[in-house]
Amino acid sequence: MIFSKNQKMVDVIHTDFHLLKITDRFGIKLGFGDKTVLSVCLEYGINPDFFVEILNVFHDKNYFPRENLKSFSANTIIDYLEITHRYYLKDKLPEIEGLIGVLVDKCSDENKGHYKLILEFFHDYRHEMKDHIKREDEVVFPYAREIEKAYNNDNVSDSLLKRMREYSIEDYYKEHEDIEEKLFDLKNIIMKYLPEPENSRLCYDVLNELFMLEKDMNDHSRMEDTVMVPKIIDMERSISGNKNAKE
Amino acid sequence: MISVTIIEPSFIIRQGLVSSLSGFRDIEIHKVYDEFDNIEVIIKKIDTDIAILNPSSIDQISLAKLIEKDSEFFSKRIVLFTNFPVGLDLESAVRAVFSYHQSEADIVKGMNKLVAELNTTEEPKEEVLSKREQDILRLIALGKTQKEIADELFISTHTVVSHRKNITRKLGIKTVSGLTVYAILNNLISMGELQ
Ligand SMILES: [Fe+2]
Ligand SMILES: [Fe+2]
């Protein structure tokens, strides 16, 4: 099923309620009435074509129209990556840490020590994510935005060229870490190696959250690696090509 | 179960590969790439049993260079899926070659053969760490580098790396901090040792 912007928003959510995560991320509140995706987007000042593609990518793991996604401006793409970062940092990661905290609290004294290990593990992970995201928000994304600006105005400053030489988007791509690895480990530790939990229900909740976050981050990294990176590489090449031609 | 990476730029073909391979019980599709811009980087990232690659999307010279750099990897793990006949050189440099024009029966037969070959290397269900692997896991958990572990156990770093890979495969844990948690849970190290 591929969604279109002329569908009713409420029907989209009926088809896949996980998409509420996306509407939430874009700041769209409930109370859609019978409005279409298009009119909701216009109301919130969101690019409807981009929004629909994001819905589709999130909904169908085999759907990833890279070329079409690349056709949106780097600004639009990065705006989305940034709101996703905030969703991880402000909402999901603290929420899951809280949930694991409750799990630890409800453990018998005998198990507590072991369950505390995963709380610490997740706590460290949250801090690593903070650093990963900080670097993207403060270094990589501003650079990418500037490249697009220079490309659009056909005007590149020497300082930007210098930055390009020192740290191009390709360097970022090469050192871009696999942020889902630790979530993968944590799932296995919980399912395979921790002592049987006294509170299974809570454990399922934690696992459920971890599976969903892992999938979400997979989509996110894919957007960074296979949409943003090649788009910026193209612009970098064109900028330095033009510069050489002018000289 | 064998794991597969798919690298195919065409949408239709990619979807076709994904959906036909999903039909195999013993095949698990791990990653799907639709691009070739960064083929070298992608190849470095491959951690699956095999990778299915469309050779027509890379120029011959770069492909030859990549093969030359890591011929063992190509002959073990790379499977070509191609619309055009490939030369004998290329055919003998990779694990297997499939063509668009083969019948369903031939492709299924070929894939099953591949699965059978690769699956034999897999261990039985219950994964148990050997004594040596436990020693190495202990040292990893204590934060030692590969070099330090190699020196301490009088083995090469290459051997350490291959033990580490086996540990990860057996346990389903990839990161050092994950391995550390495992080591504590299984009393391979105590909390006190971790400073
Ligand atoms: Fe990110
Ligand atoms: Fe990232």
Side-chain angles (χ1 to χ4, degrees), chain A residues 53-61 63-65 69 219:
Chain A
E53 284 297 35
I54 295 295
L55 289 180
N56 284 320
V57 166
F58 200 85
H59 170 65
D60 179 352
K61 72 173 168 40
Y63 180 83
F64 199 75
L69 286 167
D219 282 351

Side-chain angles (χ1 to χ4, degrees), chain A residues 85 132 136 172 176-177 179 220-221 224:
Chain A
H85 282 169
H132 180 108
E136 287 173 348
Y172 158 76
H176 194 200
E177 302 150 330
I179 50 174
H220 178 81
S221 305
E224 289 173 341

